[in-house]
Amino acid sequence: MTEFEARERIEFLRREIDRHDRLYYVEARPVIGDRDYDLLYNELLSLEKDWPQFMSPDSPTQRVSGAPVDGFVQVRHDPPMQSLDKTHSKGELADFDAFLRKEITGFTYRVEPKVDGVSMSLRYEDRRLVRAATRGNGVVGDDVTANVRTIRAVPLTLPGEAPDVLEVRGEVYMTRDGFIRLNEREEEAGRDPFANPRNAAAGSLKQLDPREVAARPLDIVVYNAGGAGCDGFETHGEMMEAFRRWGFPVPPWSKTCGTIDEAFAAIDELEGRRHSFRFEIDGAVLKVEERRFYRLLGATAHGPRWARAYKYAPERAETVVRGITVQVGRTGILTPVAELEPVELAGSVIARATLHNADQVARQDIRVGDHVWLVKAGDVIPAVESSIPEKRTGAEKVFSMPDRCPVCGGDVRRLDGEVAVRCVNPVCPAQLQRRLEHFAARGALDIKALGGRIADILVSKGIVRDPLDLFTLDYNALASLDVGEEGTPRKFGRNAIGMRDAVAAAKTLPLDRWLFAIGIPNVGVTVAKDIAAEHERFSDLADSPVLRAVVENDAKKGRDRKILAIKAEAARAVLAFFGSGYGKAFAERMRALGIDPVRGESAAVATEGPLVGAGCVLTGTLSRPRGEYAALIEKAGGIVQSAVTSKTRYLIAGENVGATKTEKARALGTEVIDEARLLELLGGDVSAPAATPPRKPPAVTQASLF
Ligand code: IVH
């Protein structure tokens, strides 16, 4: 390839990747699968390495290019970033309407969702992103450019038709799915989870290391002019349309209204749709549509006189805590769970809610017998918001964490720097059972006959004391094992043979599957693939120079791009595993069993299959992890999308899906199907494919061991 050709190709690839990022993140209608995207991305990476003279900070490969910082530099906002006057009733909005009618004539309204995230100002010079800043106190905020560059939905460059200098404002948010996954990771690492997606977004932006931010699923929506480059638009809608053309995500729903009554109707309609967005909304924003009135109307200390926020009542339900039980997780973490008087909240009946950890219970002062307010964190996960102390009778009981494991009776300990209390008995049956289930799960070793109930029986009867025991079990004897419910005996029978065959097949599964199956903290599906890609075989992991280099590089706060894909936390955890007594014994036993998994070849893109070309969106609570379904859909040739668009063929709806979502889908011609129908469409072929690493981390939660 000549230098000229290299430059042409690099520029082409950058344009293509930017275009696909835009289709995926801004327009929610991807036209290529993750694997094709990765091919483009990797080709660009390697060309940039070979031709460093063409490196550019605007390249999509350079989103994570900022070095960790010690603190944020403050920047001044000009004009200041205002807030909004808030209203809580239609009456107050009618007053707003009356005020406007005294001041101006010939105006209309626009109703938009009020996105519940972190306000952000983005500045472009020469059509390149030069600064992203938080609102701060409105006059001075933090420069978080390096962090915001990692958000794929934020364009790094703008097309030629955009003004040279442009400042736009909007809201950075964390998607609901992303919030749930992040919290799972936080809890497994023994940390306090975030209360809601807004806190998670704010906490993420405050990270001093952009690499960490890049791993957080942040997104943005832009809804306001910043100052520079935003003159000359007649209406707000026209400006939003221009922002969209220039590559910014804008509110996915809005309505223009001629009268305040129409605005009321739009506000109610929006409330009905509040759960259908990728972000949480806490209200509506009512804006004057014609921008020519803005200067005349001016502003108060709270915000512009041309807009009002209307806050929706939070969705809460009152119920009673009947008891607080304690669950033991795979990592030994003890989690208090509120057992509730069942109550309906936002479309589903809720009887349990995690209380996360003992500190949280104490902080919230939640007692057994308390009346409490229940909310849904991230619109999905039931969470106890607060107790209602006025309703106490004096009979309530203060909860305290048991000082022994409720399952094995062993010691529990609180590790340094963790809020979690863990059972430290390595042979605790509760942990072993969960580890065994994880070991056998799809995405791990995929041993179908080994579900939760069988894992429970094998562990409680002492048949399995370690997952590797599966390779030395007497499966003939296992066939006569009674696996029936109490009083109705049932033999394990032929399933024992199925299990034996699956276990035998597992021996040849690729390295990433095994690495995930072990259940090391911080090693989820994606991390396992990244680590496996750098190693030839399982026996190379224990003394891996690559993992060491990642850890050392991190200690020096260095930024070696080559090893960027593997995170230090994960590398450290893998090394710690193989350095531990259990890890050494595990590796030794693998050797003795003659199992040494090797790096696998990645699966080809499915160009045939029952779902070829079909856009699919997964929503609601599903009975299997989303990552699994995504992999199956892709294997069948389908395209997994994050939101319903006109290109979506199927909306796969699990439990707790609001009617608005399914109605919207139907209106767009999308078929709404349940899990059973999906499995039917997949033609009963639901064996785990060697999954494409999704651009978004899959929902399969990582396991852990210690
Ligand atoms: S317009 C002067 N539109 O809500 C600001 N703001 O609680 C005019 N917000 O500080 C902003 N969604 O950060 C506007 N569709 C939307 C919004 C929105 C969320 C935020 C904004 C503001 C805060 C006030």
Side-chain angles (χ1 to χ4, degrees):
M1 182 181 270
T2 65
E3 186 166 0
F4 177 77
E5 284 167 347
R7 201 181 72 193
E8 292 275 290
R9 183 72 187 159
I10 285 175
E11 280 171 5
F12 167 78
L13 288 167
R14 286 183 186 153
R15 276 198 309 276
E16 270 301 277
I17 293 170
D18 281 343
R19 184 170 78 88
H20 290 303
D21 276 345
R22 198 183 126 102
L23 285 165
Y24 187 96
Y25 291 101
V26 180
E27 298 184 23
R29 50 179 191 99
V31 295
I32 59 170
D34 288 336
R35 187 155 294 273
D36 287 338
Y37 179 91
D38 290 346
L39 287 176
L40 294 174
Y41 193 90
N42 291 335
E43 184 186 349
L44 178 58
L45 264 184
S46 96
L47 283 176
E48 285 176 344
K49 193 166 142 247
D50 294 344
W51 304 90
Q53 63 271 46
F54 302 133
M55 195 40 131
S56 153
D58 303 321
S59 170
T61 60
Q62 298 304 298
R63 285 197 177 265
V64 191
S65 62
V69 293
D70 296 325
F72 296 109
V73 173
Q74 301 231 299
V75 291
R76 185 164 283 276
H77 295 298
D78 180 24
M81 279 180 85
Q82 293 172 309
S83 182
L84 280 175
D85 267 319
K86 292 180 187 60
T87 61
H88 295 89
S89 67
K90 303 261 166 77
E92 287 172 87
L93 283 184
D95 293 345
F96 173 55
D97 182 63
F99 156 78
L100 287 175
R101 290 195 189 280
K102 274 200 298 199
E103 304 287 323
I104 54 178
T105 50
F107 69 95
T108 59
Y109 287 115
R110 181 174 293 262
V111 174
E112 268 179 6
K114 184 169 172 330
V115 186
D116 197 9
V118 179
S119 331
M120 188 64 60
S121 182
L122 303 177
R123 186 177 172 84
Y124 293 78
E125 289 173 10
D126 295 329
R127 298 185 199 85
R128 293 188 146 84
L129 177 68
V130 291
R131 201 192 70 191
T134 61
R135 179 169 177 273
N137 63 11
V139 177
V140 175
D142 286 331
D143 184 331
V144 288
T145 315
N147 287 347
V148 168
R149 283 173 62 91
T150 69
I151 304 173
R152 295 276 190 116
V154 172
L156 297 180
T157 57
L158 301 180
E161 65 155 311
D164 282 352
V165 180
L166 175 70
E167 194 166 324
V168 297
R169 291 176 180 173
E171 204 89 354
V172 168
Y173 64 89
M174 188 172 285
T175 60
R176 287 205 208 100
D177 283 3
F179 163 73
I180 291 163
R181 285 198 308 268
L182 175 64
N183 264 359
E184 282 168 357
R185 285 210 298 269
E186 291 294 293
E187 293 208 63
E188 278 184 7
R191 293 189 284 263
D192 258 330
F194 292 102
N196 52 50
R198 177 169 36 80
N199 289 2
S204 299
L205 287 169
K206 282 202 200 113
Q207 294 284 327
L208 296 175
D209 186 349
R211 289 176 302 180
E212 183 54 39
V213 187
R216 306 279 179 97
L218 295 175
D219 208 326
I220 195 169
V221 60
V222 163
Y223 49 63
N224 196 18
C230 299
D231 291 338
F233 296 111
E234 284 261 315
T235 62
H236 180 69
E238 214 178 86
M239 184 171 79
M240 289 300 106
E241 184 45 36
F243 286 179
R244 198 192 61 73
R245 276 201 319 274
W246 300 341
F248 296 100
V250 296
W253 181 98
S254 74
K255 217 158 211 184
T256 50
C257 308
T259 64
I260 193 71
D261 286 326
E262 280 177 44
F264 290 158
I267 286 170
D268 291 342
E269 182 187 336
L270 178 61
E271 185 166 15
R273 293 174 186 262
R274 67 187 288 187
H275 302 294
S276 69
F277 300 106
R278 281 158 57 74
F279 40 77
E280 288 210 309
I281 74 174
D282 60 344
V285 181
L286 181 62
K287 296 176 177 175
V288 170
E289 173 71 352
E290 293 76 15
R291 292 175 49 82
R292 64 177 181 279
F293 297 122
Y294 290 7
R295 191 187 292 269
L296 180 86
L297 288 167
T300 68
H302 295 293
R305 284 209 183 83
W306 46 264
R308 283 287 182 283
Y310 175 87
K311 298 270 273 185
Y312 295 132
E315 279 182 297
R316 316 196 283 185
E318 187 185 328
T319 186
V320 174
V321 178
R322 284 176 173 169
I324 297 180
T325 53
V326 174
Q327 280 186 351
V328 184
R330 198 158 49 210
T331 58
I333 291 183
L334 268 52
T335 306
V337 177
E339 306 291 343
L340 305 164
E341 195 69 49
V343 63
E344 191 177 332
L345 174 62
S348 59
V349 175
I350 292 161
R352 311 184 81 205
T354 170
L355 296 172
H356 303 297
N357 55 59
D359 283 5
Q360 177 106 345
V361 182
R363 222 172 14 238
Q364 291 188 296
D365 188 21
I366 292 164
R367 307 180 187 177
V368 174
D370 261 350
H371 285 253
V372 291
W373 285 115
L374 199 65
V375 294
K376 280 191 177 169
D379 263 356
V380 187
I381 310 276
V384 175
E385 186 185 55
S386 65
S387 58
I388 311 174
E390 311 82 89
K391 295 214 171 169
R392 283 188 181 144
T393 62
E396 295 75 16
K397 293 210 171 55
V398 174
F399 167 79
S400 63
M401 211 57 174
D403 50 12
R404 310 212 69 88
C405 170
V407 176
C408 71
D411 282 347
V412 296
R413 205 174 300 153
R414 194 171 166 147
L415 302 183
D416 275 353
E418 292 197 349
V419 292
V421 173
R422 293 179 194 253
C423 163
V424 291
N425 172 10
V427 293
C428 168
Q431 291 178 56
L432 175 54
Q433 183 195 324
R434 279 161 195 260
R435 246 157 58 202
L436 186 62
E437 269 176 68
H438 173 77
F439 195 69
R442 190 186 298 268
L445 299 192
D446 193 21
I447 301 162
K448 286 194 199 57
L450 181 48
R453 181 164 169 71
I454 302 299
D456 180 11
I457 294 170
L458 293 176
V459 170
S460 59
K461 290 201 188 297
I463 299 171
V464 170
R465 293 200 167 81
D466 183 272
L468 288 181
D469 288 351
L470 294 178
F471 294 91
T472 51
L473 283 186
D474 177 349
Y475 285 95
N476 289 331
L478 214 56
S480 50
L481 183 71
D482 177 12
V483 295
E485 304 285 332
E486 221 168 300
T488 49
R490 183 167 60 86
K491 294 255 176 294
F492 196 37
R494 287 172 57 87
N495 285 330
I497 304 309
M499 188 162 147
R500 182 198 62 197
D501 294 345
V503 167
K507 287 186 178 178
T508 55
L509 285 175
L511 179 55
D512 61 313
R513 300 271 296 268
W514 272 87
L515 189 52
F516 174 61
I518 300 176
I520 300 173
N522 293 310
V523 184
V525 172
T526 317
V527 172
K529 279 184 203 296
D530 289 342
I531 294 180
E534 299 288 342
H535 298 85
E536 206 61 51
R537 47 185 57 246
F538 183 83
S539 47
D540 295 341
L541 288 171
D543 285 318
S544 159
V546 176
L547 296 179
R548 287 239 176 78
V550 172
V551 172
E552 278 159 24
N553 189 53
D554 183 68
K556 286 188 297 198
K557 290 206 166 197
R559 293 192 295 111
D560 185 342
R561 221 181 304 292
K562 197 175 128 283
I563 51 180
L564 206 63
I566 303 176
K567 291 219 292 174
E569 232 181 7
R572 214 171 278 127
V574 173
L575 292 175
F577 172 79
F578 286 104
S580 71
Y582 177 76
K584 283 183 185 147
F586 189 94
E588 180 49 43
R589 202 157 166 213
M590 289 284 281
R591 243 190 319 274
L593 289 164
I595 308 174
D596 194 9
V598 294
R599 178 165 52 198
E601 289 308 313
S602 34
V605 193
T607 49
E608 49 188 271
L611 292 180
V612 162
C616 299
V617 173
L618 294 157
T619 187
T621 315
L622 300 163
S623 63
R624 303 181 185 190
R626 249 164 225 227
E628 250 176 47
Y629 275 129
L632 288 168
I633 290 168
E634 283 174 0
K635 188 184 166 202
I639 300 154
V640 180
Q641 302 174 295
S642 52
V644 175
T645 70
S646 56
K647 300 257 183 328
T648 310
R649 175 118 44 98
Y650 300 111
L651 175 68
I652 298 109
E655 299 284 302
N656 305 331
V657 179
T660 19
K661 192 153 199 168
T662 50
E663 274 161 23
K664 179 187 159 208
R666 286 202 182 95
L668 284 168
T670 296
E671 210 180 305
V672 181
I673 61 172
D674 60 11
E675 287 184 71
R677 174 77 184 125
L678 173 66
L679 292 173
E680 235 173 81
L681 286 170
L682 290 166
D685 174 17
V686 290
S687 59
T692 304
R695 251 178 282 167
K696 292 186 178 171
V700 180
T701 60
Q702 68 200 16
S704 358
L705 190 58
F706 323 104

